[in-house]
């Protein structure tokens, strides 16, 4: 049924432009009335179709048709520009505007011309209102399509309608300053920002980040604030600082934030600082970093610089955790298997599959193979190397055939598309496993005697309700590296750390040679039934770069009613940290310890009060 309306003289189409192939910006002379959101309906071949629409009212500058108000509408056509013979009708309960095909065609111009001639001359308030309305009207379409052309057009709109502030600070005499030091993209909607803001006089300031597409993010709301002595010193120079900006003032900010629709343009973000009176400055942010490894390292650096080792730390809880959780999800989603290459004929009845990630260093493969070849049982092992450093793929391909010819052991190489990290590499490697049992093995762990894997498998099969099994690991000097894992907190600390029973003592130390249940075992050499591995979904890819996935797996096995065991009758050498650079490990340890405590605090406390796990150095 048609809605009643009265046509208002002069209430007609002014001009229009296409923001994308489905999104039309209409400018109408006059206010449609009532403050209600209008309907936009197409009429074609007797059928009426409602369209999605967002709108706002603005007032042109005096001298441009007086001060008569106008209406801007962002209208979405689900199938692109309307077919020939289509009429548009813009309706409210009070009036309507009918736009025929010829009128729309004559009024449509390119975006740059419309911005320059129609919108740029508006006053500041009208431009700001229009910009907010156009950005809001385009959000849903940008979210649907991730259209780069739409993003570029929104960037043109932003630059034409946004009111620039004063240019960036140039000297230490400037009153206000804002700087973005790091802007990282976890994905198209999720970002991490680090920077600082200073006002010599006002203590209550607002800082907003403006995306290239026009979204505004109030940076300081909920941000982690911290002191920046370097900023204090810069503005102080040789003078004493004025009150309010003494050393220790929290100029710095770090924050994780999300935008309602994708931001696709890597450059052009702007930071704006304003005081309560509206006076302010702006600074262009550096280009957005998008490489996930670089993004992860940037976040980890900020954790190292500004987070405390407390469970309730604001930076970790409110910012790092959601950011890194999402980043790890994207790493898992974006890491795939590129190639699988078999060297030699695999055994026909492998009981055990051995998964060995290779990261950074691939020379360890030869050290392992030259030891495995002396073990006759290893010819029936399903040996899988997972190359987590695909940039070394050609180098490994060149040596793999020669290594197989030299050591005559069959093995497979699974090459990943990118560096995914310890958990992702093991999970993808395990997906190719054929054995009933699965052994996770670091590339820097080597045996010095045959039969070790057969002994581990026999113990596993003979032990009811077993979850994970780990052997004794020793350093080159025969001192202990691993005799099971336990959890402990430093005095006054709130985070549970992973520690090794009797680490550093001689391997013949009697308490370290007792077969027993332990809270956890290291993933450097961990045996588990493959069906059980699949039941608990393997390693959770929520920890950063390796270090706590193994203890998390063991805790989940305990929760499922299993026991984790340490087997000292099998001993292997472990060149600890050789397969994983120590700097990277140290960067990740603080966050991983926090995350483990966040997930398991109460349960770990219960375990460590159990007398069964009390034997420690």
């Amino acid at each position: 049924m048609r809605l009643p309306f009265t046509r208002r003289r002069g209430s007609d189409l002014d001009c229009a432009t296409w923001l994308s192939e489905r999104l039309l910006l209409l400018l109408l002379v006059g206010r449609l009335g009532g403050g209600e959101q209008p309907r936009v309906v197409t009429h074609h071949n007797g059928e009426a179709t409602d369209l999605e629409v967002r709108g706002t009212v603005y007032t042109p500058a005096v001298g441009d048709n007086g001060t008569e108000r106008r209406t801007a509408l962002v209208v979405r056509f689900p199938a692109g520009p309307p077919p020939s013979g289509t009429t548009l009708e813009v309706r409210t309960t009070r009036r309507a505007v009918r736009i025929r095909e010829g009128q729309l065609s004559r009024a449509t111009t390119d975006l740059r011309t419309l911005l320059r001639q129609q919108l740029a001359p508006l006053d500041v308030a009208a431009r700001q209102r229009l910009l907010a309305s156009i950005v809001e009207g385009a959000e849903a379409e940008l979210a649907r399509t991730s259209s780069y052309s739409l993003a570029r057009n929104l960037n043109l709109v932003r630059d034409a309608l946004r009111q620039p502030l004063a240019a960036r600070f140039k000297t230490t005499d400037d009153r206000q300053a804002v700087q973005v030091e790091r802007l990282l993209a976890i994905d198209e909607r999720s970002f991490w920002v680090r920077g600082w803001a200073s006002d010599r006089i006002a203590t209550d300031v607002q800082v907003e980040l403006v995306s290239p597409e026009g979204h505004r993010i109030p940076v300081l709301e909920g941000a982690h604030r911290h002191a920046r002595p370097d900023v204090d010193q810069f503005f102080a120079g040789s003078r004493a600082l004025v009150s309010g900006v003494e050393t220790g003032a929290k100029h710095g900010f770090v924050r994780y934030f999300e935008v309602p629709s994708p931001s696709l343009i890597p450059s052009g973000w702007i930071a704006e600082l304003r005081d309560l009176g509206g006076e302010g400055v702006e600074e262009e942010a550096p280009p957005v970093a998008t490489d996930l490894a670089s993004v992860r390292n940037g976040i980890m650096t900020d954790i190292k610089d500004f987070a405390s080792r407390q469970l309730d730390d604001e930076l970790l809880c409110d910012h790092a955790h959601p950011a890194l959780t999402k980043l790890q999800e994207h790493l898992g989603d974006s890491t795939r298997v590129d190639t699988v290459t078999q060297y030699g004929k695999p055994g026909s009845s492998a009981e055990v599959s051995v998964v060995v990630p290779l990261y950074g260093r691939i020379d360890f493969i030869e050290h392992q193979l030259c030891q495995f070849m002396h073990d006759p049982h290893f010819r029936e092992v399903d040996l899988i190397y997972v190359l987590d450093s695909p940039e070394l793929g050609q180098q490994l391909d060149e040596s793999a055939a020669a290594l197989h010819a030299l050591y005559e052991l069959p093995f497979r190489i699974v090459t990943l598309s990118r560096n995914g990290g310890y958990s992702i590499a093991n999970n993808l490697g395990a997906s190719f496993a054929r054995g009933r049992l699965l052994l996770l093995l670091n590339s820097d762990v080597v045996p010095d005697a045959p039969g070790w894997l057969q002994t581990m498998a026999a113990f596993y099969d003979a032990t009811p309700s077993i979850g994970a099994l780990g052997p004794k690991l020793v350093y080159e000097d025969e001192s202990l590296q691993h005799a099971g894992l336990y959890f402990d907190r430093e005095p006054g600390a709130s985070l549970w750390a992973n520690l090794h029973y009797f680490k550093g003592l001689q391997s013949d130390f009697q308490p370290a040679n007792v077969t027993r249940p332990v809270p956890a075992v290291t993933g450097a050499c961990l045996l588990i039934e493959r069906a059980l591995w699949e039941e608990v979904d393997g390693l959770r890819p929520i920890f950063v770069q390796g270090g706590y996935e193994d203890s998390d797996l063991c805790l989940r096995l305990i929760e499922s009613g299993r026991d984790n065991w340490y087997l000292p009758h099998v001993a292997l050498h472990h060149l600890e940290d050789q397969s994983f650079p120590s700097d990277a490990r140290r960067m990740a340890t603080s966050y991983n310890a926090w995350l483990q405590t966040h997930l398991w605090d109460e349960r770990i406390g219960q375990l460590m009060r159990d007398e069964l796990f009390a034997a420690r150095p």
Side-chain angles (χ1 to χ4, degrees):
M1 182 178 72
R2 292 175 59 85
L3 294 173
F5 68 93
T6 57
R7 184 179 180 83
R8 179 176 180 267
R9 179 174 295 181
S11 179
D12 207 346
L13 175 64
D14 186 4
C15 58
T17 192
W18 288 94
L19 298 172
S20 73
E21 62 179 5
R22 294 184 178 88
L23 220 56
L24 180 67
L25 174 62
L26 292 174
L27 303 182
L28 305 177
V29 177
R31 182 173 182 171
L32 293 172
E36 63 183 287
Q37 181 67 47
R39 292 174 59 197
V40 177
V41 183
T42 61
H43 297 276
H44 180 70
N45 292 338
E47 294 185 3
T49 305
D50 277 271
L51 304 179
E52 294 180 21
V53 60
R54 294 289 185 276
T56 192
V57 176
Y58 66 98
T59 304
V62 176
D64 183 8
N65 291 330
T67 58
E68 184 177 30
R69 291 193 172 188
R70 300 188 181 188
T71 302
L73 301 176
V74 178
V75 183
R76 181 179 186 269
F77 293 78
S84 177
T86 299
T87 297
L88 266 65
E89 196 168 28
V90 184
R91 300 178 177 179
T92 68
T93 55
R94 295 174 56 185
R95 60 178 62 94
V97 174
R98 192 183 297 270
I99 304 170
R100 300 191 182 278
E101 180 183 6
Q103 291 176 290
L104 180 60
S105 178
R106 289 189 297 272
T108 300
T109 186
D110 67 279
L111 177 60
R112 292 179 185 270
T113 299
L114 182 144
L115 291 171
R116 183 176 63 253
Q117 296 182 356
Q118 298 290 331
L119 301 185
L122 299 175
D123 61 32
V124 173
R127 291 204 311 271
Q128 289 177 339
R129 189 172 182 181
L130 259 176
L131 176 57
S133 181
I134 292 171
V135 170
E136 181 185 2
E139 278 178 2
E141 181 67 8
L142 191 57
R144 288 188 189 100
T145 64
S146 291
S147 166
Y148 186 76
S149 63
L150 174 55
R152 291 300 307 176
N153 283 337
L154 290 175
N155 184 235
L156 291 175
V157 172
R158 185 203 73 168
D159 289 347
L161 299 183
R162 189 183 70 88
Q163 179 65 23
L165 298 173
R168 59 164 291 176
F169 74 96
K170 298 184 184 301
T171 72
T172 58
D173 293 326
D174 291 332
R175 172 197 150 191
Q176 296 174 317
V178 61
Q179 187 168 26
V180 172
E181 298 169 317
R182 195 196 317 279
L183 186 57
L184 311 174
I186 291 121
D187 57 32
E188 294 173 344
R189 297 193 190 196
S190 308
F191 297 86
W192 181 274
V193 63
R194 165 181 168 166
W196 57 267
S198 176
D199 190 310
R200 288 180 177 274
I201 299 174
T203 57
D204 190 1
V205 296
Q206 179 186 42
V207 176
E208 288 187 309
L209 265 180
V210 187
S211 77
E213 298 82 6
H215 286 298
R216 287 186 167 272
I217 300 92
V219 173
L220 301 185
E221 293 182 11
H224 174 79
R225 305 300 305 277
H226 50 268
R228 287 292 298 265
D230 56 333
V231 175
D232 292 329
Q233 185 59 46
F234 174 78
F235 282 105
S238 59
R239 303 165 303 167
L241 287 168
V242 298
S243 176
V245 291
E246 299 92 349
T247 300
K250 293 185 176 181
H251 302 305
F253 58 80
V254 176
R255 186 181 171 191
Y256 166 74
F257 67 89
E258 298 179 0
V259 291
S261 60
S263 180
L264 307 175
I265 303 173
S267 59
W269 286 77
I270 297 170
E272 298 179 348
L273 179 147
R274 289 183 178 85
D275 61 20
L276 294 181
E279 184 178 352
V281 294
E282 69 178 45
E283 168 80 355
E284 185 169 342
V288 178
T290 57
D291 175 69
L292 289 182
S294 299
V295 171
R296 181 177 59 193
N297 290 340
I299 295 173
M300 298 310 298
T301 297
D302 292 341
I303 291 173
K304 177 177 67 69
D305 290 346
F306 305 121
S308 69
R309 291 182 57 81
Q310 298 299 320
L311 187 56
D312 60 353
D313 181 82
E314 175 193 49
L315 178 58
L316 292 169
C317 293
D318 299 341
H319 302 285
H321 185 215
L324 289 171
T325 298
K326 183 165 287 190
L327 185 146
Q328 290 296 116
E329 289 175 356
H330 290 314
L331 270 177
D333 293 341
S334 63
T335 304
R336 64 183 186 279
V337 173
D338 262 0
T339 61
V340 180
T341 307
Q342 176 72 49
Y343 294 90
K345 185 178 179 180
S348 58
S349 58
E351 278 288 293
V352 183
S353 290
V354 178
V355 174
V356 186
L358 298 172
Y359 173 67
R361 294 184 60 175
I362 60 174
D363 56 309
F364 282 123
I365 185 173
E366 182 166 9
H367 293 287
Q368 286 189 331
L369 290 175
C370 73
Q371 296 299 324
F372 294 162
M373 70 170 293
H374 297 299
D375 191 335
H377 300 290
F378 234 85
R379 299 190 181 282
E380 292 300 318
V381 167
D382 177 30
L383 180 56
I384 304 166
Y385 285 101
V386 182
L387 183 59
D388 198 26
S389 295
E391 69 278 4
L392 301 177
Q394 182 176 353
Q395 182 180 347
L396 183 58
D397 287 343
E398 291 172 354
S399 61
L403 290 173
H404 168 65
L406 179 62
Y407 296 111
E408 298 182 338
L409 281 177
F411 60 89
R412 278 178 286 171
I413 293 179
V414 176
T415 302
L416 305 186
S417 61
R418 61 171 303 149
N419 168 235
Y422 177 80
S423 59
I424 293 170
N426 274 293
N427 288 342
L428 287 174
S431 69
F432 290 90
R434 300 166 179 159
R436 178 179 58 84
L437 298 175
L438 177 68
L439 181 81
L440 308 186
L441 188 69
N442 278 11
S443 61
D444 57 0
V445 173
V446 291
D448 60 3
W452 62 275
L453 186 54
Q454 189 180 31
T455 300
M456 288 184 69
F459 180 87
Y460 195 98
D461 288 341
T463 307
S465 301
I466 190 171
L469 174 65
K472 179 194 296 183
L473 298 179
V474 298
Y475 293 116
E476 301 94 316
D477 63 357
E478 302 300 322
S479 62
L480 285 167
Q481 187 267 319
H482 173 264
L485 284 176
Y486 69 97
F487 308 100
D488 199 8
R489 288 196 260 226
E490 296 177 1
S494 63
L495 304 186
W496 291 103
N498 289 359
L499 299 179
H500 297 263
Y501 288 105
F502 316 117
K503 185 173 182 177
L505 300 179
Q506 285 302 303
S507 61
D508 60 359
F509 181 58
Q510 193 278 329
N513 286 281
V514 177
T515 301
R516 65 192 187 100
V518 289
V521 294
T522 178
C525 186
L526 182 154
L527 186 68
I528 186 174
E529 185 181 17
R530 184 158 65 93
L532 178 58
W533 165 273
E534 293 170 353
E535 181 183 321
V536 297
D537 294 324
L539 300 176
R540 290 200 285 187
I542 56 177
F543 295 88
V544 176
Q545 293 189 309
Y548 284 72
E549 295 94 336
D550 47 10
S551 53
D552 175 72
L553 170 64
C554 291
L555 287 165
R556 287 184 285 130
L557 290 171
I558 289 174
E559 287 295 276
S560 70
R562 303 281 182 146
D563 296 317
N564 304 304
W565 282 80
Y566 164 62
L567 183 63
H569 306 306
V570 171
L572 298 92
H573 284 93
H574 185 197
L575 309 177
E576 188 179 25
D577 290 351
Q578 295 291 314
S579 63
F580 181 20
S582 297
D583 288 345
R585 186 182 294 274
R586 283 193 293 268
M587 290 273 285
T589 293
S590 182
Y591 173 74
N592 287 339
W594 176 88
L595 180 56
Q596 176 170 263
T597 308
H598 174 74
L599 296 171
W600 294 104
D601 187 20
E602 184 176 349
R603 188 68 179 102
I604 290 176
Q606 293 172 351
L607 287 173
M608 297 319 299
R609 289 190 293 270
D610 191 329
E611 292 184 2
L612 181 64
F613 303 131
R616 307 176 203 176

